[in-house]
Amino acid sequence: EIRELLMDELGTVPGSELMGLHSALLKGEPPSTDASASATAPPAPPGTSSASAEIPALGTPALVEREGELRQIGTILRRVSAGHGGVLVIEGPAGIGKTCLLRELRTHAASTGFRVFDARAGVLEREYGFGVVRQLFAELSVDPRLTEGLAGAARGVLADTGASEGTFPVLNGLHLVVNLADRGPLVLAIDDLHWTDPASLRFLVYLARRLVG
């Protein structure tokens, strides 16, 4: 039952300690002290830190069985640093670790000179037009210097002045991203993309098709 639960919820299998306990139970033997202590040890209290709790550098084995994905992320970030835009999609069943992998990407990008903007979509926020776009660029909306050159129709998106949701002038006017990319490598990271509001999704599709150069 545990094996099935782990596979369904996390896409993984029992570890060596759990398998050892299972084997001991089948043989009618008491579990070893090490396995028992490991299985019953209480979690560290909130606020404590340890080496294992730190976010690892990209490519370390702390994210179990994600070495291949981490290498791919490193390769993609190097391509972006060299001036080649692209789209990376992390997909998989619920609980498999997509958010952790995306967090690793953001952390590594920020530590290597990228400017990182992130947002998280939500099922209860899908009715708010350009909600994800506003999340991405919330810090920019208060600094007029960073929105210089932004078309009037698109400026209303960040100012929440009722800009029309997804019309072509608005999408074309959101060239703020292009202005920022001129200043250095840029990452836009969106978690739970499948809950993105339609207006923001139109902008992301519009942008994705115009990444050349």
Side-chain angles (χ1 to χ4, degrees), residues 11-103:
T12 187
V13 295
S16 57
E17 293 175 356
L18 191 57
M19 293 300 294
L21 287 170
H22 180 234
S23 178
L25 286 170
L26 290 177
K27 297 176 183 177
E29 299 173 353
S32 67
T33 303
D34 291 342
S36 178
S38 177
T40 59
T48 61
S49 62
S50 65
S52 61
E54 296 176 358
I55 297 176
L58 190 73
T60 63
L63 291 181
V64 178
E65 296 184 356
R66 291 291 177 262
E67 293 82 2
E69 287 86 349
L70 291 171
R71 283 194 297 271
Q72 284 183 300
I73 287 173
T75 299
I76 289 169
L77 290 179
R78 286 190 293 273
R79 283 181 50 80
V80 174
S81 292
H84 304 286
V87 177
L88 172 66
V89 178
I90 301 172
E91 60 180 352
I96 202 171
K98 301 183 294 297
T99 295
C100 289
L101 199 57
L102 185 61
R103 181 180 62 205

Side-chain angles (χ1 to χ4, degrees), residues 12 18 104 143 160 199:
T12 187
L18 191 57
E104 185 74 6
D143 190 343
D160 196 16

